[in-house]
Amino acid sequence: MKSYFSTLFTGAWSLILGLKVTIKALFSPIVTCQYPREKMEVTPNYRGHIDLVKFADTGAHKCISCGSCMRDCPSDCIVVEGEKREGVKGKVLTIFTLDFTKCSLCGACVEVCPTKALDYCNDYELAGFTREEFYFDLLKRVEERE
Amino acid sequence: MAMDVEILEDPKHHRYVLNMGPQHPSTHGVLRVLLELEGEYAMELLPVLGYGHRCHEKIAEHKPVKSFMPNTARMDYLGALIYNHGYAQLLERAAGIEVPERVEYIRVITSELNRIQSHLLWYGAYLLDLGAFTPIMYAFDDREHILDILEDVTGSRLTYCYFRVGGVSKDIDDKFVTSTRAFVKRLRSRFPMYEDLVNGNVILQNRLNDVGELTPHTCARYGITGPLLRGTGVAYDMRRAEPYSIYSQFDFEIPTGTKGDCMASFMVRFHELEQSLRIIEQALDGLPEGPIMTPKVPKKLKIPAGDYNSSVEAPRGELSYYLVSDGSDVPYRLKVRTPSYSNLSVVPEMCQGMLLSDVVSAMGALDLVIPEIDR
């Protein structure tokens, strides 16, 4: 009988202790972010999908269409094509597409690039209804960017 | 008429089959458990696997060894860095690559943060399965800090691909060190709160004590490792049993239980949080300067013919990679031994004759990550 009451008491006390924690939390500041009304700042090191970098000194990308990224990609999601043009040294990039549905953001392409022409972007709000929305034309993106 | 009576009198016909999952919350993924119930007692259990099978081991046989790194993170999405660690270590051992000291320290710090993150998620989700909604909010509050810290250095929040053969992809900075130290302090100050909120709770005590008891012998038969094995009193941890990386330099304890029930493994995991914090603190104190990448890693990494093994302590137990190479840069065979697979295999024996609600307790205590089982 005595142990019955002591169990009852310790049990009830444990519940009161738990409630104390939750009541304290009720009066402590909010820790959540009210997305989408508020947005958190994303660290610049965040790895979004890759993008061609627009260099300030030339106002253009530095891709030499060597295709290293295409060969090193574990998921075969990059397509790079270039062509020889008269009067221009080296190859000129004509196609650079990324199939983001297959990309696993490992960073092999960024690390292998000999001219540092690739970098991660900071887009995280990616949602779409079709697959095609995630086939990115990176060449078009870099030309359109400010 | 006579036949109906026969059916009613035969106890086997009182049984009925219930599907738990493929989406039941306590299975944390797409696992299906066939339960044969007699009243509310589970008489037979049969886990049905394969819903998340993605042929990771077969994929490994078809591409250069280095390209498999992102896949390792997707096997166990909660212990991604530890899976990275095991694989990087395997290739380094196979190709005879020395790793700079700073890299080892960075690997240990981030891996331990990853372990804490995994345990915190399990802590919240397990209690959610048991019917307590609030704890997951507190656990996620703490976990969020780790995700932010790791996001800043690795670039992702869950499926990290941070480690490279011979190094890591990005160096840690002062911001990382200060925020990690702040986190260590914060989590330590929160332990008494967790004790009050959860660990002492009478409902939890009653639901976990003496449920799903395991013995060291059972664990040995099924190959159970990790907190479940340590809950039975066996202090077996790969970080001590076969000290890899620089774990031999740190002073930490291996928490163990005695009874081997759900409460024992619950407390083992809870105490492991503190031990991981201790390792992180010591590693931050001793963090040396230096390069973050070995200079001589060939672009096309050829593995000498032979077989290689690397084992690490994942949050759920012992993780092993076994690589057979024929001398080319593509593995002949890569076998991954994941802890959850062995841990799950004990379910039919452990849960036989249990109440259905206890099955949820016992299976939650296994801390199953289904993509790791299916691979």
Side-chain angles (χ1 to χ4, degrees):
Chain A
M1 198 64 176
K2 201 179 153 197
S3 75
Y4 173 78
F5 279 110
S6 75
T7 321
L8 202 67
F9 180 75
T10 47
W13 180 244
S14 73
L15 296 181
I16 291 167
L17 272 180
L19 274 178
K20 212 174 82 187
V21 174
T22 40
I23 289 168
K24 217 170 121 189
L26 196 63
F27 296 103
S28 55
I30 297 170
V31 289
T32 47
C33 168
Q34 303 299 314
Y35 181 86
R37 274 163 283 153
E38 278 174 55
K39 275 183 193 175
M40 282 173 79
E41 230 174 84
V42 180
T43 158
N45 299 328
Y46 175 75
R47 279 190 201 169
H49 66 79
I50 53 162
D51 240 341
L52 283 164
V53 183
K54 196 166 201 170
F55 286 85
D57 50 347
T58 55
H61 65 82
K62 275 190 189 167
C63 178
I64 51 170
S65 31
C66 66
S68 299
C69 46
M70 190 164 71
R71 280 190 298 277
D72 252 39
C73 179
S75 321
D76 296 331
C77 53
I78 301 173
V79 176
V80 183
E81 269 174 39
E83 60 176 26
K84 285 291 271 172
R85 276 189 201 151
E86 264 181 55
V88 188
K89 212 178 144 195
K91 273 182 175 175
V92 177
L93 183 68
T94 51
I95 297 174
F96 199 121
T97 57
L98 167 73
D99 179 359
F100 193 52
T101 55
K102 288 198 261 172
C103 175
S104 53
L105 295 167
C106 65
C109 46
V110 177
E111 277 160 40
V112 79
C113 184
T115 55
K116 306 258 173 289
L118 286 172
D119 201 2
Y120 309 101
C121 74
N122 248 351
D123 290 352
Y124 64 94
E125 291 173 308
L126 291 160
F129 290 101
T130 58
R131 230 165 241 242
E132 287 71 28
E133 285 171 54
F134 300 100
Y135 299 159
F136 297 121
D137 189 344
L138 299 190
L139 189 59
K140 209 170 130 198
R141 276 173 69 96
V142 75
E143 278 162 5
E144 281 169 3
R145 210 175 320 141
E146 290 290 301
Chain B
M1 195 64 193
M3 211 177 120
D4 285 355
V5 174
E6 216 169 79
I7 288 172
L8 282 172
E9 281 174 357
D10 183 3
K12 227 182 162 232
H13 288 289
H14 288 287
R15 295 187 179 183
Y16 62 102
V17 174
L18 182 77
N19 277 298
M20 186 159 140
Q23 285 295 350
H24 190 275
S26 90
T27 58
H28 294 276
V30 266
L31 172 71
R32 174 172 163 222
V33 184
L34 279 171
L35 297 162
E36 206 178 306
L37 297 170
E38 204 176 300
E40 235 185 297
Y41 291 91
M43 303 316 282
E44 303 277 343
L45 291 98
L46 184 71
V48 184
L49 309 178
Y51 291 94
H53 185 58
R54 289 146 297 161
C55 321
H56 277 308
E57 288 178 12
K58 202 72 193 167
I59 290 170
E61 290 170 24
H62 289 276
K63 55 184 185 181
V65 276
K66 276 177 162 182
S67 310
F68 190 65
M69 194 61 89
N71 292 54
T72 59
R74 277 145 185 90
M75 281 191 258
D76 179 357
Y77 49 81
L78 294 180
L81 280 172
I82 296 159
Y83 274 61
N84 274 191
H85 197 166
Y87 191 65
Q89 189 174 272
L90 172 80
L91 298 185
E92 282 150 13
R93 270 186 201 168
I97 296 166
E98 282 279 318
V99 183
E101 215 189 347
R102 186 176 171 86
V103 172
E104 294 282 22
Y105 273 83
I106 296 175
R107 282 183 181 177
V108 165
I109 297 167
T110 48
S111 293
E112 290 307 316
L113 280 174
N114 205 192
R115 191 186 312 278
I116 296 174
Q117 178 264 118
S118 168
H119 281 357
L120 281 175
L121 186 133
W122 163 82
Y123 192 84
Y126 183 32
L127 294 163
L128 196 63
D129 297 343
L130 294 178
F133 180 73
T134 349
I136 196 168
M137 296 295 164
Y138 295 86
F140 266 52
D141 186 7
D142 286 330
R143 183 172 173 264
E144 196 62 25
H145 288 257
I146 302 184
L147 293 187
D148 285 344
I149 292 170
L150 287 180
E151 183 186 12
D152 200 31
V153 58
T154 65
S156 12
R157 292 176 73 80
L158 203 63
T159 46
Y160 315 107
C161 181
Y162 178 49
F163 298 168
R164 298 283 183 270
V165 180
V168 291
S169 68
K170 192 176 174 299
D171 201 358
I172 57 174
D173 49 11
D174 289 342
K175 194 184 156 204
F176 175 86
V177 176
T178 44
S179 52
T180 309
R181 275 192 199 283
F183 171 75
V184 170
K185 215 174 138 195
R186 177 197 154 91
L187 188 62
R188 255 207 198 118
S189 70
R190 302 258 292 180
F191 285 144
M193 186 274 290
Y194 283 118
E195 291 275 353
D196 281 352
L197 182 70
V198 180
N199 301 3
N201 189 293
V202 61
I203 302 167
L204 184 86
Q205 298 277 348
N206 288 344
R207 288 205 66 182
L208 298 193
N209 274 327
D210 306 323
V211 171
E213 274 176 277
L214 292 169
T215 60
H217 180 65
T218 319
C219 293
R221 275 196 297 128
Y222 285 98
I224 297 170
T225 46
L228 290 169
L229 176 62
R230 291 194 283 273
T232 65
V234 182
Y236 180 80
D237 187 315
M238 287 314 284
R239 292 173 290 176
R240 266 291 153 71
E242 192 187 293
Y244 56 96
S245 193
I246 45 162
Y247 278 108
S248 55
Q249 296 177 19
F250 300 121
D251 173 32
F252 64 100
E253 282 155 25
I254 313 272
T256 52
T258 46
K259 279 166 80 182
D261 55 358
C262 291
M263 197 66 203
S265 59
F266 181 91
M267 288 318 287
V268 164
R269 286 205 179 89
F270 189 73
H271 292 311
E272 267 178 24
L273 295 175
E274 166 61 23
Q275 299 309 320
S276 290
L277 291 183
R278 274 177 72 184
I279 296 174
I280 291 170
E281 264 185 338
Q282 289 170 51
L284 284 175
D285 289 338
L287 186 70
E289 290 296 316
I292 55 153
M293 196 72 195
T294 317
K296 282 183 205 137
V297 179
K299 225 173 154 188
K300 194 174 175 180
L301 189 68
K302 278 194 176 170
I303 305 293
D307 53 339
Y308 307 93
N309 182 45
S310 146
S311 300
V312 291
E313 183 70 26
R316 275 152 281 282
E318 181 185 341
L319 158 75
S320 282
Y321 288 99
Y322 180 69
L323 176 90
V324 182
S325 174
D326 53 4
S328 69
D329 68 331
V330 180
Y332 175 75
R333 174 84 170 91
L334 179 76
K335 161 82 184 133
V336 190
R337 187 255 184 229
T338 54
S340 283
Y341 186 84
S342 310
N343 294 359
L344 174 73
S345 59
V346 77
V347 163
E349 187 183 315
M350 180 174 74
C351 298
Q352 206 173 26
M354 263 187 188
L355 270 172
L356 182 59
S357 53
D358 284 348
V359 171
V360 175
S361 299
M363 282 191 57
L366 301 177
D367 189 10
L368 299 172
V369 167
I370 311 303
E372 173 197 339
I373 298 169
D374 287 340
R375 302 199 284 286

